[in-house]
Amino acid sequence: MKITDIQIYANCPDRNFVTVKIKTDTGLYGLGDATLNGREMAVVAYLTEHIKPCLIGKDAHQIEDIWQYLYKGAYWRRGPITITAISGIDMALWDLKGKVTGLPVYQLLGGKSRSKIKVYGHANGNSIEETLTNLGKLIDQGYKAVRLQCAIPGLDSSYGVLSDKKDYFELQSSRPLPPEQPWDTLKYLNFIPSLFQKAREKYGNEIELLHDVHSRLTPIEAARLGKALEPYHLLFLEDAVTAENQSNYQVIRNHTTTPLAVGETFNSIWDAKELIETQSIDFLRSAATHSGGITAMRRQADFASIYKVRTAPHGPPDISPIGHAAHAHLNAWVPNFGIQEFVGFGGQKMSKVFSHPLRYEEGYLHLNDAPGLGVDFDEQEASKYPYKRSYLPVSRLEDGTLSDW
Ligand code: GCO
Ligand code: MG
């Protein structure tokens, strides 16, 4: 099965996505997601200029060898641009192997460990009341786990709050330059425990609750938050601090039993090695699109399992349906599965451009048995929605200091 061509697409069917299509002499093609939010075109250039010429003529069955060739062969190891590009290629090769054997990718990984995939949804609002109303709506839709984010009183805008937007898939349009958002740790820490207190008062203890700090705290501040949230027993507290220095998590761990999750910006097992070995985290949130594709995610999960760390792949609106499908196959197989983040399937434009093998029902995703990843990409339709340059926000303290967004 020789690779005859590789096409790379950047489109914006509501959100920007980079899609890799590997064509072969069998007539079959494979699809991969290589979307890196806010830096999409760097990955497009990497794939077009540096990867494509090396792979034409290679055997598409050699997934492992191609992964090693692109990783070791670059010499410049790791980094989000390189690894997102490799991830897109890797997914497309697994898709191809599935198609040529007639099997869904989860079968190639070892078969299903579960019949359905537990997800957590997002509830947010401009006030505690509004957030809890939205939590109630998700509970009515069958969600068993929900992440809560709320506007922080006294701040003009807050991470994870949609404000007047209908959903996450509306967010892409208006960011020709990075928008700026305010941050104030004191206001945040004083407020967040009351959100969870009221959530438990209103909805009891059956629903799993989660929260994303989005890396805005120092280790000892995160420890204080973890302790304050203990009575509300979160499934996990996410990204309490940035994890560039992995030993930061030991500080948090030493103070609180609130479970910790991190990893959405990781692009290698090396970003998580110490966190896992020191048992400083409970859930690893790396994503197939940003962490080396299915080949690397499988290794990370196996390593994590030794330390009883479970997987909880990042599932934001800036990963394409192809990336989400890759997670679904991994999730169906992985023995140490935790939970999958799920924010919906996007709007009409997305569903015309991408088809996928997933169905949501009562708090779970169900994966069908289509061969490969079970996805498709309509390039005609996609060409109607050209890529739009768009940035993630940046965050500043009241005095103007740039802080972590
Ligand atoms: C999450 C995330 C995202 C990221 C986004 C950046 O937990 O879902 O933190 O919302 O901010 O993926 O591109
Ligand atoms: Mg997050």
Side-chain angles (χ1 to χ4, degrees):
M1 186 164 59
K2 272 203 175 13
I3 298 176
T4 51
D5 194 13
I6 301 181
Q7 284 164 334
I8 295 111
Y9 304 87
N11 305 100
C12 188
D14 288 334
R15 303 287 308 212
N16 281 324
F17 297 118
V18 175
T19 304
V20 177
K21 181 172 187 174
I22 300 185
K23 294 186 173 175
T24 64
D25 60 359
T26 60
L28 295 170
Y29 59 86
L31 293 166
D33 177 25
T35 308
L36 185 63
N37 196 9
R39 295 293 185 270
E40 295 85 356
M41 299 315 270
V43 184
V44 169
Y46 195 109
L47 283 160
T48 314
E49 297 295 324
H50 306 296
I51 287 189
K52 179 175 168 174
C54 303
L55 296 189
I56 307 290
K58 281 208 181 296
D59 179 2
H61 271 305
Q62 297 293 99
I63 301 178
E64 187 65 55
D65 186 67
I66 290 176
W67 198 98
Q68 300 295 335
Y69 180 80
L70 296 176
Y71 182 77
K72 295 177 179 161
Y75 182 66
W76 311 106
R77 293 177 181 222
R78 304 164 62 183
I81 312 287
T82 298
I83 299 294
T84 303
I86 295 177
S87 302
I89 297 288
D90 183 80
M91 267 181 230
L93 293 175
W94 279 97
D95 187 31
L96 269 166
K97 199 183 280 293
K99 283 175 176 161
V100 81
T101 55
L103 293 171
V105 167
Y106 72 79
Q107 292 290 16
L108 305 178
L109 292 169
K112 275 189 184 175
S113 300
R114 56 196 55 77
S115 58
K116 50 188 182 175
I117 298 158
K118 189 173 174 183
V119 298
Y120 71 89
H122 287 197
N124 61 72
N126 291 312
S127 62
I128 292 185
E129 206 188 2
E130 194 185 2
T131 307
L132 296 190
T133 304
N134 290 333
L135 169 58
K137 287 181 190 162
L138 290 186
I139 292 173
D140 291 345
Q141 290 166 34
Y143 280 86
K144 314 282 182 273
V146 179
R147 182 187 98 159
L148 299 184
Q149 308 293 137
C150 185
I152 311 302
L155 293 184
D156 284 349
S157 61
S158 301
Y159 165 76
V161 179
L162 291 169
S163 297
D164 54 343
K165 305 279 183 191
K166 128 176 131 346
D167 60 34
Y168 291 108
F169 299 95
E170 229 188 295
L171 290 178
Q172 195 79 62
S173 46
S174 54
R175 288 170 164 181
L177 285 173
E180 300 210 348
Q181 290 183 349
W183 179 247
D184 187 313
T185 297
L186 183 68
K187 288 190 171 73
Y188 172 78
L189 285 178
N190 283 341
F191 173 70
I192 284 298
S194 60
L195 170 65
F196 285 86
Q197 183 196 348
K198 300 228 165 77
R200 285 293 176 217
E201 277 166 20
K202 188 159 179 185
Y203 295 106
N205 291 318
E206 288 301 304
I207 182 85
E208 307 253 38
L209 297 176
L210 306 87
H211 179 66
D212 189 350
V213 182
H214 224 259
S215 308
R216 280 133 193 246
L217 299 176
T218 66
I220 203 69
E221 289 164 354
R224 170 181 155 192
L225 180 63
K227 279 178 94 160
L229 293 175
E230 275 173 24
Y232 318 115
H233 42 90
L234 270 57
L235 178 65
F236 62 67
L237 183 66
E238 178 188 338
D239 284 359
V241 299
T242 57
E244 286 140 314
N245 181 354
Q246 296 181 42
S247 63
N248 279 345
Y249 272 78
Q250 284 163 44
V251 177
I252 314 173
R253 196 58 149 186
N254 287 340
H255 290 284
T256 180
T257 57
T258 293
L260 302 171
V262 67
E264 67 184 43
T265 64
F266 292 178
N267 38 74
S268 158
I269 185 61
W270 299 105
D271 294 325
K273 179 175 173 287
E274 188 183 330
L275 288 166
I276 294 171
E277 279 176 343
T278 57
Q279 308 194 45
S280 301
I281 58 168
D282 302 279
F283 294 88
L284 181 61
R285 302 233 329 118
S286 45
T289 306
H290 305 128
S291 209
I294 291 169
T295 299
M297 289 283 280
R298 183 176 55 167
R299 284 207 179 96
Q300 293 185 19
D302 276 342
F303 178 60
S305 75
I306 299 171
Y307 298 90
K308 303 264 180 246
V309 172
R310 288 181 283 169
T311 61
H314 189 205
D318 46 271
I319 282 178
S320 91
I322 302 171
H324 290 297
H327 286 163
H329 287 274
L330 283 156
N331 295 337
W333 152 74
V334 68
N336 49 323
F337 174 65
I339 197 159
Q340 173 64 57
E341 181 181 23
F342 175 62
V343 295
F345 294 119
Q348 275 205 341
K349 287 183 197 165
M350 269 180 69
S351 61
K352 283 191 177 155
V353 172
F354 296 99
S355 60
H356 62 76
L358 300 170
R359 179 173 54 83
Y360 170 84
E361 198 185 310
E362 294 292 319
Y364 293 89
L365 285 176
H366 294 256
L367 175 61
N368 73 25
D369 280 338
L373 292 174
V375 291
D376 213 348
F377 172 71
D378 183 335
E379 46 203 84
Q380 278 313 93
E381 189 65 24
S383 68
K384 295 182 188 162
Y385 313 111
Y387 163 77
K388 284 186 206 161
R389 182 157 49 91
S390 180
Y391 292 95
L392 283 162
V394 297
S395 206
R396 287 189 191 276
L397 308 183
E398 204 186 358
D399 67 0
T401 307
L402 199 86
S403 73
D404 294 296
W405 184 78

